[in-house]
């Protein structure tokens, strides 16, 4: 198979939620280097930011759930209340002296905890960003980032089994990967290796059997609020296809709760308004939810 045909097949498979027939699947952490080509091709998570003049930075400042950030940038101190004492020490060391700990172990610890604690999974990307920054600054390496992406890819490939085994674990995973997508950037652009996987997760949440579960509807809407606008800029066609599913789901004759219908209608109007909430919509939807 020629390279162009292989790439075309992989792209088509990603767009429609099908698996590529080509057994040569490029790991997220070992993809292509960043280029000036349009979005849609994975880039390498192994390249050194300094080599290309790239700066990894969070998309915006976020509040944190179970932990806090204090101090000046580069001098963060984390209060991680949901971990045991030994793990807290491991994470604190990773943040201050990343070369002194096993960063692949740290990546696994963070992913494992994110799959169990949805509050932590909502903001774990900030911790991952800080560790990546510290490692890049002190050692010029990307061991943690590579371990993180490899683990995310493993969970992504087994996402149906995860959903069948634990609905909460599945919702936490989607929340976590969207959080990572939101925080980790190169040259102020999202990580291309994560665009289609994030889309695939959201497409799964928009299937009829998922829309019948309020936990998955809530996750779908929350993540679209968080990263929907960014995703649309990277691939408008897939966002259009996703909202076809959401609109069809909204019109399901049965199996959709009143709250799920309200949430879906809100996100449809949110996107139609340019990914913004109008004052009238805010008053209507939030009063409805509170009631």
């Amino acid at each position: 198979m020629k390279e162009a045909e292989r790439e075309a097949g992989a792209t088509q498979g990603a767009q429609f939620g099908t698996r590529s027939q080509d057994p040569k699947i490029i790991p997220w952490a070992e993809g292509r280097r960043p280029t000036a080509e349009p979005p849609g091709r994975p880039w390498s998570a192994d390249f050194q930011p300094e080599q290309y003049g790239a700066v990894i930075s969070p998309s915006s400042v976020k509040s944190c759930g179970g932990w806090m950030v204090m101090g000046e940038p580069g001098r963060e101190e984390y209060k991680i209340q949901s971990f045991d004492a030994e793990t807290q020490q491991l994470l604190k060391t990773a943040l201050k002296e990343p070369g002194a700990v096993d960063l692949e172990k740290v990546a696994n610890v963070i992913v494992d905890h994110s799959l169990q604690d949805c509050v932590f999974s909502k903001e774990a990307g900030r911790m991952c960003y800080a560790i990546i920054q510290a490692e890049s600054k002190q050692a010029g390496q990307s061991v943690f980032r590579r371990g993180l992406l490899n683990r995310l890819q493993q969970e992504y490939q087994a996402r149906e089994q995860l959903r069948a085994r634990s609905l909460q674990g599945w919702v936490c995973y989607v929340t976590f990967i969207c959080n990572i997508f939101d925080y980790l950037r190169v040259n102020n652009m999202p990580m291309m290796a994560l665009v289609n996987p994030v889309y695939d997760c959201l497409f799964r949440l928009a299937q009829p059997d998922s829309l019948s579960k309020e936990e998955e509807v809530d996750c779908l809407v929350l993540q679209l609020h968080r990263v929907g606008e960014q995703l649309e800029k990277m691939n408008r066609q897939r966002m259009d296809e996703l909202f076809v599913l959401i609109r069809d789901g909204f019109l399901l004759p049965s199996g959709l709760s009143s709250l799920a219908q309200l949430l879906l209608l809100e996100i449809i109007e949110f996107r139609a308004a340019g990914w913004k909430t109008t004052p009238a919509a805010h008053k209507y939807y939030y009063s409805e939810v509170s009631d």
Side-chain angles (χ1 to χ4, degrees):
M1 181 183 292
K2 295 180 180 179
E3 183 67 20
E5 293 174 344
R6 182 182 295 118
E7 291 183 358
T11 301
Q12 184 179 21
Q15 285 185 343
F16 296 99
T18 58
R19 189 179 295 275
S20 171
Q21 299 302 310
D22 181 10
K24 185 181 178 183
I25 304 299
I26 300 176
W28 297 355
E30 298 177 7
R32 302 179 184 277
R33 295 185 182 278
T35 69
E37 297 178 10
R41 302 190 181 196
W43 55 269
S44 170
D46 289 327
F47 81 97
Q48 303 303 318
E50 296 81 359
Q51 182 178 355
Y52 294 90
V55 177
I56 305 175
S57 60
S59 57
S60 57
V61 177
K62 304 286 194 306
S63 60
C64 301
W67 47 282
M68 298 176 63
V69 181
M70 298 172 285
E72 298 296 327
R75 299 180 61 186
E76 296 91 345
E77 294 182 8
Y78 291 89
K79 184 177 181 181
I80 310 164
Q81 299 176 340
S82 55
F83 291 92
D84 58 58
E86 181 180 353
T87 304
Q88 285 188 38
Q89 186 58 47
L90 174 69
L91 296 176
K92 289 177 181 178
T93 304
L95 288 161
K96 295 179 180 179
E97 299 180 63
V101 295
D102 183 345
L103 291 175
E104 288 193 13
K105 178 181 178 180
V106 173
N108 284 322
V109 165
I110 292 175
V111 174
D112 287 340
H113 200 72
S114 295
L115 295 182
Q116 299 170 13
D117 186 342
C118 281
V119 173
F120 178 76
S121 69
K122 293 178 181 179
E123 297 297 345
R126 189 173 188 176
M127 181 184 296
C128 292
Y129 157 73
I131 295 174
I132 289 172
Q133 286 287 81
E135 184 188 13
S136 176
K137 181 179 180 180
Q138 294 185 21
Q141 297 181 350
S142 56
V143 174
F144 174 78
R145 181 175 52 185
R146 181 169 57 251
L148 176 66
L149 290 178
N150 284 339
R151 179 63 192 280
L152 280 174
Q153 186 173 25
Q154 292 172 13
E155 298 297 337
Y156 166 80
Q157 292 171 340
R159 60 193 182 280
E160 285 298 334
Q161 295 93 313
L162 174 61
R163 182 178 180 272
R165 184 172 66 251
S166 170
L167 189 63
Q168 177 180 327
W170 158 242
V171 168
C172 286
Y173 173 75
V174 177
T175 302
F176 181 59
I177 193 173
C178 288
N179 190 250
I180 293 297
F181 174 77
D182 189 27
Y183 267 101
L184 304 191
R185 296 177 168 242
V186 173
N187 289 333
N188 204 33
M189 292 290 290
M191 298 182 74
M192 299 309 304
L194 295 180
V195 173
N196 277 325
V198 169
Y199 261 123
D200 290 342
C201 290
L202 298 181
F203 266 75
R204 184 62 185 87
L205 291 174
Q207 299 301 316
D209 62 329
S210 291
L211 293 179
S212 65
K213 298 178 174 61
E214 287 186 355
E215 302 98 316
E216 291 186 278
V217 175
D218 186 58
C219 180
L220 172 64
V221 171
L222 284 175
Q223 302 320 312
L224 283 171
H225 270 277
R226 181 164 200 161
V227 299
E229 186 174 10
Q230 299 175 55
L231 286 170
E232 184 171 64
K233 290 177 180 177
M234 309 315 295
N235 192 325
R236 175 65 181 264
Q237 179 182 345
R238 290 211 75 187
M239 187 61 70
D240 289 340
E241 293 169 357
L242 176 60
F243 269 79
V244 168
L245 285 178
I246 292 175
R247 285 192 292 270
D248 289 347
F250 176 74
L251 298 174
L252 283 174
S254 60
L256 209 62
S257 69
S258 298
L259 177 59
Q261 285 183 317
L262 188 69
L263 291 171
L264 293 181
L265 181 59
E266 189 274 336
I267 197 61
I268 290 171
E269 294 191 356
F270 183 71
R271 186 199 181 201
W275 300 101
K276 297 177 182 178
T277 301
T278 65
H282 184 276
K283 180 178 180 181
Y284 173 74
Y285 288 111
Y286 282 88
S287 65
E288 287 289 326
V289 170
S290 63
D291 292 341

